[in-house]
Amino acid sequence: MGPNDPWDRFSRLVGQGKTEFDAAVEASIQGSGDRFVIGKYVSPEEFQRTGQVGYVQEVQVRGGRYFDAGKTLWARLEQSGIAGEVNRQVIRRQMEKGISRIELAGETIQQALSRKGSWTVEEIRWIREFAR
């Protein structure tokens, strides 16, 4: 763990007086730049095995911001039943701050939408909702 680890960042932010929800949102925003990348999560092992690109690999190559709560914080968010709401708020905050673009990594929107029940489908729905 280290200063950029989502769990460590979350713990520091809570210690500074942030609510657990706000701390989770802030700690889950990774990367930098003026684009936000969404898409399928592809583990490093799956990427090496198949070459399939997910949103994390896309950001590692081309830069940008993305949602990643890390394993420990993600487990806590799932256990609390707020993982989706934290993910949703991360996207909303990026849009409110005026991020210039949101990009989908590794697949077309049609391909992503065919994966019913995926986080990417939810993210596309939220983006459409917030864009109104």
Side-chain angles (χ1 to χ4, degrees), residues 14-81:
V14 168
Q16 293 168 1
K18 295 239 180 196
T19 67
E20 287 195 4
F21 184 84
D22 285 338
V25 170
E26 194 170 323
S28 297
I29 299 170
Q30 307 300 326
S32 63
D34 197 32
R35 75 182 189 123
F36 190 78
V37 181
I38 65 169
K40 181 178 178 186
Y41 175 75
V42 176
S43 71
E45 298 79 21
E46 184 179 358
F47 172 69
Q48 285 194 344
R49 193 175 67 253
T50 68
Q52 184 178 14
V53 174
Y55 68 96
V56 174
Q57 290 83 13
E58 165 68 19
V59 169
Q60 288 172 341
V61 171
R62 294 186 53 218
R65 295 178 188 190
Y66 62 103
F67 172 86
D68 183 4
K71 290 181 181 182
T72 305
L73 181 54
W74 180 256
R76 181 167 179 157
L77 297 176
E78 282 192 313
Q79 182 181 29
S80 301

Side-chain angles (χ1 to χ4, degrees), residues 71-130:
K71 290 181 181 182
T72 305
L73 181 54
W74 180 256
R76 181 167 179 157
L77 297 176
E78 282 192 313
Q79 182 181 29
S80 301
I82 62 169
E85 189 55 35
V86 168
N87 188 350
R88 183 176 192 272
Q89 190 62 34
V90 165
I91 291 170
R92 181 181 192 99
R93 288 188 186 175
Q94 295 306 299
M95 292 177 78
E96 287 173 345
K97 288 180 178 181
I99 194 99
S100 71
R101 64 192 189 276
I102 299 174
E103 296 180 6
L104 177 62
E107 59 189 342
T108 66
I109 289 177
Q110 292 78 15
Q111 290 169 324
L113 292 175
S114 72
R115 293 186 294 107
K116 304 257 186 265
S118 72
W119 282 110
T120 307
V121 169
E122 288 299 309
E123 290 170 337
I124 292 169
R125 186 176 63 79
W126 298 330
I127 292 164
R128 288 177 172 163
E129 174 189 332
F130 300 148

